Amino acid sequence: MKRFLLNTVLVATLVLSSAVAWGQEDELLGYPGYVDFGQLGSIFGEPTVEIAVGKTLLGLVSAFTASEDPDVAELFSRLDGVRVRVFETQALADGAVDLVRDVSSRLSGEGWESVVSVNSADEQVRIFLKMNQNVVEGITVMAVEPHEAAFINVIGVIDPAELAELMNRLDVDVDVDVNGMKHRTDDEE
């Protein structure tokens, strides 16, 4: 019961603070892993999911999870921010492909490394890493398709091996490339 109450308070804090934090994302502008996606609302309308969590709230999450999962707590303690915007669409939005290409071009020019690029008539996916020597300082994901568009920016020091482990612990089913080797993060390897 105590754990349920703690988790409920944590989720409520995240939900309430994310609405406030999105308007205060100016504090993240100076971080190397920050990405300005531009005016997403003008292309996609209102987001169905909008999360913006800064360093202070991530520190709180880290403190709450430290006793249950020290590895995840350590990862959260090194993050400066997490920004997510997801939009539901009826069709591939006008300007969506151009936006992904423009942001991709800008990121490449700023030294971000493209690690995934999918180009098809009905889908554009890009995943970029901001590297500083052997340290990942940011991850950016842009994915647009006819029914959904998602933009994710994780800001802070991230070890790719930790990211794979975190996705596994959170039961997220993705392929993660760690040191040139593909790893499934689900139980169906």
Side-chain angles (χ1 to χ4, degrees):
M1 181 67 173
K2 192 178 200 180
R3 182 176 173 185
F4 173 76
L5 182 58
L6 179 63
N7 287 338
T8 302
V9 169
L10 181 61
V11 168
T13 302
L14 285 172
V15 169
L16 292 174
S17 64
S18 68
V20 173
W22 194 263
Q24 299 173 349
E25 76 175 47
D26 288 347
E27 70 186 53
L28 297 173
L29 290 174
Y31 290 99
Y34 176 83
V35 172
D36 180 2
F37 293 116
Q39 298 299 319
L40 298 175
S42 65
I43 295 173
F44 301 104
E46 289 294 316
T48 54
V49 175
E50 188 170 24
I51 300 170
V53 181
K55 188 160 187 71
T56 302
L57 189 56
L58 287 166
L60 181 63
V61 171
S62 175
F64 278 129
T65 59
S67 63
E68 290 184 34
D69 197 333
D71 295 334
V72 171
E74 173 64 21
L75 175 62
F76 281 131
S77 74
R78 290 193 317 270
L79 295 180
D80 298 311
V82 176
R83 302 165 52 236
V84 178
R85 280 195 176 174
V86 179
F87 302 86
E88 289 183 19
T89 58
Q90 299 301 317
L92 193 60
D94 290 337
V97 172
D98 291 336
L99 172 77
V100 170
R101 287 183 183 148
D102 291 346
V103 172
S104 296
S105 177
R106 183 171 37 86
L107 291 177
S108 292
E110 293 173 359
W112 287 73
E113 294 182 30
S114 176
V115 293
V116 174
S117 183
V118 176
N119 297 302
S120 68
D122 62 347
E123 182 180 36
Q124 294 284 309
V125 177
R126 300 288 189 280
I127 300 177
F128 284 89
L129 297 179
K130 179 67 172 181
M131 302 290 295
N132 183 359
Q133 297 180 1
N134 291 331
V135 176
V136 177
E137 294 181 322
I139 298 174
T140 295
V141 178
M142 297 178 286
V144 295
E145 59 182 34
H147 302 289
E148 188 174 69
F151 297 85
I152 302 166
N153 184 209
V154 180
I155 305 157
V157 177
I158 305 150
D159 178 346
E162 286 179 327
L163 186 61
E165 178 62 23
L166 176 62
M167 293 297 109
N168 189 36
R169 289 178 188 214
L170 297 175
D171 199 28
V172 176
D173 181 18
V174 295
D175 284 327
V176 178
D177 187 355
V178 179
N179 300 325
M181 298 178 63
K182 287 266 188 187
H183 298 278
R184 289 293 293 176
T185 60
D186 64 354
D187 295 327
E188 302 175 34
E189 293 197 43

